[in-house]
Amino acid sequence: MVTLSPLGNEDLFRRSMNQGHSAAWEGRWQEAVEHYSRALAEFPDNAPTLNSLALAHLELGNLEQALDLYRRAARLSPEDPLPPEKTAQIYKQTGRIDEAVKYSMQAAELHLKLRDADKAINNWTRVIRLEPDHIDAHAKLALVYEKLGRTPQAITEYIAVAALQQHAGMQDEALRSGEHALNLNPKNKEAQEAVAMLQAHKPLPKPVRQGGVSGSLRLLAGKGKLTRKVPLPEFEAGPDPIEEATQRSLQILANMLFDLSPREPEPARKTASLRSIARAVSDGLLTRGFDETAILRHLSRTIALQTENKLKESAEELKAAIDAGLDHPAAHFNLGVLLSNEGRSESAQRSFQYAVKHADFALAANLLLGDHHLEQERYPEAVTEYLQALKIADSSVLPEDKAEALRAAYEPLIAATAQSTNENEIKLLCENIRHLLMRPNWRTGVNEARGQLPGTPNGAVPIPIADILTNANSGRLVDALARINQISHEGYLRTAMEEAYAALEFSPSYLPLHIHMGELLLMNDRPQQAIEKLSTVARVYSARGESDRATQTYERIVSISPLDVDARIHLIDQLTAAGHLEEAARQNLELADVYYRLAQLDEARDTYEKALHLAQGADVDASWNVQILHQMADIDLQRLDWRKALRVYEQLRTMAPNDEMARLKLIQLNLRLGQAAKANVELDNYLSSLNSRGREQDAGNFLRNLVDENQDYPLGHRRLAEHYQQNGQREDAIREWNKVGELFVESGDREGAKAAVRAILALNPPNAQRYQQFLNRLIK
């Protein structure tokens, strides 16, 4: 319960907060900012309001405002982990890694105090993804995993701690950490190998940056987030579709009459008239061989008679104008309406078949054709026409970028419905479509029906209104959904759920209603029950063969619970079956990341491998494959499977010859495996490649990194010494040749040591006499 200060207007505060929550729920973030700001003005020190306002600014991309608000909330509620967690996310987004690490650590400790270990783990995981060498985060993770009984994860973290301690020169502490990991499970192969390496004073691989790959390989921020209803546009009052199309046809015919009538003196008109007639023919107004005089005469009489409501005579005149060469959908539609009014249905249908091709008349013509087929009990033809009309009407209330996707979604629905043998269901659907569309202000009715459908993730195909109209109680269902939305917007979530259960009694199989219920459960802080509800819906959609709907529902589940492995696997299966290989590859990467976070390295690697196969099949950018292979190799290194990692890096070298990390790892792995000759070949090949392209500076940087991580590698030091020598860096060259000489002496390679000393002497060092004496001793 939020405690309010007596200084502000409590009623205004609560009303503003409820309005802000409703706007936020619908994705109207600017409105949410306004409402939350109004509430904050009443009680400036209310931490939950600060958090809500900060979230709205964050969604709008106003990062500095969000950051300032979260800082204020943190000062007012220092035990709340939400502000530091969000602060860390903002710093991560803006590339301020040190601050992101600091606040993630703070959020983790606060979550732990609240006994929410999973959220603490998420924050520590963020730290080690940003700063792999953060020993405290690894240690905290190791301890918590151990206490939770997650032994494999704990072992992985203790080995990481040992590696970091070893690299920091803390050999005894590193060995104790490794032995502790082994004590957790003496049969664990990774722990056995780590302890053996520590005892042999061999370097463990340090933790590497994890957490997925960058660029187009990852999902876009916000992708998969459900957007509730958008603010619905308002439509002006108007006639029903047939009246509207009839008025439009008369307007077009009147304009034709104006275009074709003489308006100039004869000498000037002749040329202009020829141009007008040629344009009329090319635009489809007239057929070749037309009789201009007859068209003008009959068209003039048609309009006059129709104005006088003499419909039979008007039809005869319009038919005569068409026979004289007038050929336009407006004329055919108008004639069809006139013939239909006379009861000449078959003749009217032929006219509507012409008119249905024109955007101005397609909706009305489809409805009239559907009426005719329904009267004749030709149900497949009737439902096809009605669904075509609904497709036009439904897409007309959406922005064009979504309307095109919606029109495409209707096509398989129309084809499947036309094949149905259940006449009662078809008749019901026809009646529901006609009831929805054949009314004044039909756009408002369509828009309201669309408003009752569940929201879809950003970028997903909108749900057709036909979904709701296939229900026998579609009228009651629309009203029920409207009530559920209204009540939930007002914040009465339990009452909204009761309305949903009541609606289930007369529409138990309407899946979007179940989706509504899942969203209400989520809003009521019951995420697990929401996921179970949505999972059931997804399975039913999949069983029905409605793969797009199943995919959308699984995407929603994954957006709610990114660690839900089962939902993500089902989503990948749906995407793969539908041929969406690139998106399936993306989801495989997300799944691999989940496995990694759970320290299930075998599953993570297998999943990366599947992502690699999918990416290759999808013909995506080659950088995908490179980054996936890096992830696979990193896991192999953590499992101390050096030979497998070596094979992956060899693949990377072939695929991306300029990949410096792959080249470095190839040299290091060959050295660890006792294959010094191969390491030497790898080094010289890469240096030759760099130097041939004039990248001497890059070669120097590479060599410095190499010897920093491999202090006992003679050829690395030798090549660096030669680099310094070629670039006139005399003191640096002497230092490196000195190191080369020491390494050769230690290994008993007298000839190598002689060469190193001679190289130093060639540089004329300050203490040349001592080097000469040392060389003399080596020669003896």
Side-chain angles (χ1 to χ4, degrees), residues 198-374:
L198 288 165
Q199 291 172 341
H201 299 285
K202 292 183 179 179
L204 287 174
K206 293 169 65 177
V208 293
R209 188 178 298 277
Q210 287 287 337
V213 292
S214 60
S216 62
L217 199 57
R218 306 298 292 170
L219 288 175
L220 292 175
K223 180 152 184 177
K225 181 176 181 182
L226 190 72
T227 301
R228 301 295 303 177
K229 299 177 301 174
V230 297
L232 301 176
E234 297 181 0
F235 299 103
E236 297 179 359
D240 65 43
I242 295 174
E243 291 173 347
E244 185 179 273
T246 303
Q247 293 173 7
R248 176 63 179 150
S249 69
L250 279 171
Q251 180 186 7
I252 290 173
L253 291 174
N255 289 338
M256 288 183 194
L257 182 63
F258 179 79
D259 287 339
L260 294 172
S261 297
R263 298 181 299 279
E264 301 176 17
E266 187 65 26
R269 189 183 73 83
K270 187 170 183 180
T271 303
S273 179
L274 288 173
R275 284 199 299 270
S276 297
I277 291 169
R279 185 175 67 251
V281 172
S282 65
D283 290 348
L285 275 74
L286 306 173
T287 59
R288 297 190 181 276
F290 62 89
D291 185 337
E292 180 183 6
T293 304
I295 290 173
L296 288 170
R297 182 174 68 251
H298 293 301
L299 190 55
S300 177
R301 291 175 183 171
T302 295
I303 295 170
L305 290 166
Q306 209 161 144
T307 304
E308 297 170 11
N309 205 31
K310 296 179 179 179
L311 303 184
K312 182 178 180 180
E313 296 87 345
S314 178
E316 292 172 354
E317 291 294 339
L318 185 52
K319 178 66 167 61
I322 291 172
D323 290 341
L326 179 61
D327 187 20
H328 190 279
H332 291 292
F333 179 79
N334 197 274
L335 178 60
V337 172
L338 294 171
L339 293 173
S340 201
N341 288 333
E342 289 182 49
R344 297 167 61 184
S345 297
E346 293 295 338
S347 298
Q349 301 319 298
R350 290 191 290 272
S351 295
F352 293 140
Q353 291 291 356
Y354 282 105
V356 79
K357 301 170 186 177
H358 194 285
D360 285 338
F361 310 108
L363 171 58
N366 281 131
L367 284 172
L368 290 165
L369 286 167
D371 287 349
H372 176 72
H373 291 309
L374 195 60

Side-chain angles (χ1 to χ4, degrees), residues 518-634:
E519 294 297 332
L520 288 170
L521 288 167
L522 186 63
M523 294 170 65
N524 211 19
D525 293 327
R526 295 159 70 185
Q528 190 55 44
Q529 290 176 275
I531 289 169
E532 290 171 2
K533 169 69 76 174
L534 293 173
S535 296
T536 302
V537 171
R539 288 194 296 271
V540 174
Y541 272 137
S542 183
R544 288 182 180 178
E546 298 181 60
S547 59
D548 285 347
R549 307 287 176 75
T551 299
Q552 290 175 13
T553 310
Y554 281 124
E555 284 175 343
R556 178 54 177 149
I557 296 170
V558 167
S559 74
I560 297 169
S561 178
L563 299 182
D564 192 319
V565 171
D566 288 339
R568 204 177 289 276
I569 289 173
H570 284 302
L571 176 57
I572 291 166
D573 291 342
Q574 292 288 335
L575 291 166
T576 305
H580 303 312
L581 299 185
E582 182 173 343
E583 185 58 32
R586 291 177 190 274
Q587 290 299 333
N588 261 297
L589 291 169
E590 295 285 348
L591 178 59
D593 187 30
V594 170
Y595 281 134
Y596 181 82
R597 291 170 65 185
L598 297 174
Q600 298 176 17
L601 298 185
D602 289 340
E603 290 84 352
R605 195 187 189 286
D606 290 344
T607 308
Y608 278 126
E609 197 160 355
K610 290 175 185 175
L612 181 64
H613 292 317
L614 286 169
Q616 290 169 343
D619 193 27
V620 297
D621 188 89
S623 61
W624 277 57
N625 300 330
V626 170
Q627 295 179 68
I628 295 171
L629 286 169
H630 268 296
Q631 299 294 91
M632 293 166 59
D634 287 339

Side-chain angles (χ1 to χ4, degrees), residues 742-755:
E742 291 172 5
L743 291 173
F744 279 135
V745 169
E746 289 174 8
S747 65
D749 186 348
R750 296 175 69 86
E751 293 303 318
K754 291 177 191 177

Side-chain angles (χ1 to χ4, degrees), residues 542-725:
S542 183
R544 288 182 180 178
E546 298 181 60
S547 59
D548 285 347
R549 307 287 176 75
T551 299
Q552 290 175 13
T553 310
Y554 281 124
E555 284 175 343
R556 178 54 177 149
I557 296 170
V558 167
S559 74
I560 297 169
S561 178
L563 299 182
D564 192 319
V565 171
D566 288 339
R568 204 177 289 276
I569 289 173
H570 284 302
L571 176 57
I572 291 166
D573 291 342
Q574 292 288 335
L575 291 166
T576 305
H580 303 312
L581 299 185
E582 182 173 343
E583 185 58 32
R586 291 177 190 274
Q587 290 299 333
N588 261 297
L589 291 169
E590 295 285 348
L591 178 59
D593 187 30
V594 170
Y595 281 134
Y596 181 82
R597 291 170 65 185
L598 297 174
Q600 298 176 17
L601 298 185
D602 289 340
E603 290 84 352
R605 195 187 189 286
D606 290 344
T607 308
Y608 278 126
E609 197 160 355
K610 290 175 185 175
L612 181 64
H613 292 317
L614 286 169
Q616 290 169 343
D619 193 27
V620 297
D621 188 89
S623 61
W624 277 57
N625 300 330
V626 170
Q627 295 179 68
I628 295 171
L629 286 169
H630 268 296
Q631 299 294 91
M632 293 166 59
D634 287 339
I635 291 174
D636 291 335
L637 288 175
Q638 292 201 48
R639 296 189 307 184
L640 305 179
D641 192 340
W642 293 342
R643 293 193 181 278
K644 196 176 234 184
L646 182 67
R647 289 194 293 272
V648 176
Y649 282 121
E650 286 173 345
Q651 229 179 316
L652 272 166
R653 179 194 57 204
T654 303
M655 189 176 295
N658 299 326
D659 191 309
E660 181 176 309
M661 177 60 72
R663 296 286 194 156
L664 181 63
K665 294 294 185 183
L666 275 172
I667 297 167
Q668 292 175 327
L669 286 170
N670 276 304
L671 290 173
R672 286 176 183 171
L673 291 167
Q675 300 171 169
K678 288 187 176 180
N680 295 345
V681 170
E682 291 289 347
L683 174 58
D684 284 340
N685 285 345
Y686 186 50
L687 292 176
S688 176
S689 172
L690 291 175
N691 291 326
S692 67
R693 287 175 287 138
R695 295 175 56 188
E696 289 82 5
Q697 185 174 352
D698 292 337
N701 293 334
F702 178 81
L703 287 166
R704 278 186 286 273
N705 291 333
L706 177 63
V707 299
D708 282 346
E709 296 187 21
N710 303 272
Q711 291 289 332
D712 298 333
Y713 181 32
L715 186 65
H717 287 283
R718 178 169 183 165
R719 294 292 181 255
L720 182 57
E722 291 168 349
H723 171 79
Y724 285 141
Q725 195 168 341

Side-chain angles (χ1 to χ4, degrees), residues 158-169:
Y158 277 121
I159 292 174
V161 170
L164 292 171
Q165 289 171 332
Q166 183 192 47
H167 281 270

Side-chain angles (χ1 to χ4, degrees), residues 721-722 724-726 728-738 756-766 768:
E722 291 168 349
Y724 285 141
Q725 195 168 341
Q726 291 168 5
Q729 297 172 254
R730 176 171 167 271
E731 293 180 1
D732 292 329
I734 292 172
R735 184 187 67 247
E736 289 302 321
W737 278 117
N738 241 330
V757 175
R758 290 188 179 109
I760 295 172
L761 288 169
L763 292 169
N764 193 24

Side-chain angles (χ1 to χ4, degrees), residues 13-72:
F13 171 85
R14 296 191 185 280
R15 188 164 61 252
S16 298
M17 287 298 291
N18 286 336
Q19 291 170 337
H21 292 332
S22 295
W25 184 55
E26 296 178 349
R28 295 181 280 113
W29 295 108
Q30 188 57 51
E31 285 186 43
V33 165
E34 295 167 6
H35 293 308
Y36 289 141
S37 298
R38 193 177 303 117
L40 193 64
E42 297 300 319
F43 298 100
D45 294 332
N46 185 265
T49 307
L50 286 165
N51 285 329
S52 296
L53 181 56
L55 176 62
H57 276 299
L58 185 59
E59 290 291 337
L60 290 170
N62 303 330
L63 301 185
E64 289 301 323
Q65 293 93 321
L67 197 58
D68 180 64
L69 290 162
Y70 281 129
R71 285 170 177 160
R72 288 172 57 189

